[in-house]
Amino acid sequence: MLTVTTLASGSSGNAALVSCGRTHILLDAGISARRITTALKALGVPPQDLSAIVITHEHHDHVSGLGVLCKQIPAPVLASPATCRYLGDKLPQFRGRLQGQEPGTGVQLGEIWTESFSTPHDAAGSVGYSFSAEGRRLVLCTDLGYVTPEVKRAAEGCDLLICETNHDEDWVRTGPYPYYLKQRVLGDRGHLSNEAGAELAALAVESGARTVILAHLSSENNTPAHARAAVCRRLAAMGCDPERDICLAVAPRKETGPVYRLEEDGAAVAFALRGAALC
Ligand SMILES: [Zn+2]
Ligand SMILES: [Zn+2]
């Protein structure tokens, strides 16, 4: 069954594990290789068994552990051609390991069909990912300034959405960030606000998603409760009770989150690391 677990989420580092059967895909490597391998072992996945590493974009909080990890394990690294060019310059010793995947195309990685789609962000060629297996689909959509038609198409009809709710726009405007940083965060190539993320979450839920995990929260301009409240308001406005109708969670910033397993009916069951069911 298709499962997903976030290992870390936010501007201090991002990584997640997507698995189905014997296929294990690491999605971003923005924390240290040691933290990644420790988390994988805790999840029962020997790091050597990783089938592939897929990278959304070259920002530090998504690739900081990649170089050391590539020394330790033999998995191929997939990213957009523009991201591959950047990574090839930074990590020339692993250039042969990089595989360019045009945004908008898909590739079969073991048991998981992996599609990428372009995202508007201040990076070389950033993408989000859609993973499908056994008739279920999950989508990761973080690090984007606004929701494009491509992003909407990807989110529509998925079973589980990992959705960016980076900041409260007013908190950014009135907060301590310097002007240029405020412009960057709020701009078309920055990050999704709570309201914009809530809109995307609503679109996914309206089209059938039963699980939404809020991700990439700013530590200065957001809190988990604040992001969750914004999404709850938006879902309530369309008649959805997030406590009853769906599973709504916030990805922990620095620890491994629950394992979300997509069941045959499209709902996700969340398990704590030691196997106890959470919901
Ligand atoms: Zn990021
Ligand atoms: Zn970024």
Side-chain angles (χ1 to χ4, degrees), residues 10-14 28 56-57 59-62 121 142-143 164 166 184 191 216:
S11 48
S12 51
N14 297 273
D28 281 335
T56 56
H57 64 300
H59 285 164
H60 188 75
D61 58 320
H62 297 261
H121 191 50
T142 66
D143 297 76
E164 173 161 55
N166 180 258
R184 184 193 159 240
H191 292 276
H216 212 298

Side-chain angles (χ1 to χ4, degrees), residues 13-73:
N14 297 273
L17 179 71
V18 178
S19 297
C20 184
R22 290 183 177 189
T23 306
H24 304 288
I25 300 173
L26 181 70
L27 170 52
D28 281 335
I31 51 176
S32 72
R34 179 194 286 264
R35 280 180 64 195
I36 291 170
T37 53
T38 303
L40 292 178
K41 285 176 197 159
L43 289 163
V45 177
Q48 298 295 327
D49 286 1
L50 272 188
S51 317
I53 303 168
V54 301
I55 299 292
T56 56
H57 64 300
E58 77 279 14
H59 285 164
H60 188 75
D61 58 320
H62 297 261
V63 300
S64 63
L66 185 62
V68 175
L69 194 62
C70 280
K71 273 187 209 151
Q72 299 173 354
I73 61 158

Side-chain angles (χ1 to χ4, degrees), residues 157-227:
C158 73
D159 298 295
L160 181 153
L161 176 69
I162 302 177
C163 177
E164 173 161 55
T165 48
N166 180 258
H167 57 267
D168 180 298
E169 284 187 29
D170 287 336
W171 290 15
V172 175
R173 280 201 193 91
T174 56
Y177 275 6
Y179 179 75
Y180 79 90
L181 201 49
K182 290 184 182 185
Q183 294 303 104
R184 184 193 159 240
V185 170
L186 297 171
D188 273 358
R189 288 164 63 81
H191 292 276
L192 285 190
S193 68
N194 290 343
E195 265 64 34
E199 205 55 50
L200 182 61
L203 174 97
V205 170
E206 211 159 31
S207 58
R210 308 264 296 270
T211 309
V212 175
I213 304 170
L214 307 179
H216 212 298
L217 272 65
S218 162
S219 55
E220 286 86 17
N221 298 306
N222 214 352
T223 64
H226 198 64

Side-chain angles (χ1 to χ4, degrees), residues 96-157:
R97 204 87 82 77
L98 300 169
Q99 294 180 15
Q101 181 186 1
E102 283 294 341
T105 66
V107 59
Q108 188 72 35
L109 298 173
E111 291 162 67
I112 303 176
W113 176 251
T114 305
E115 268 179 47
S116 66
F117 52 92
S118 290
T119 49
H121 191 50
D122 56 353
S126 63
V127 294
Y129 283 98
S130 166
F131 301 94
S132 310
E134 299 181 349
R136 306 267 64 100
R137 190 163 72 87
L138 68 92
V139 170
L140 172 116
C141 216
T142 66
D143 297 76
L144 65 165
Y146 67 104
V147 174
T148 64
E150 272 170 287
V151 171
K152 271 189 191 169
R153 264 199 302 280
E156 247 163 1

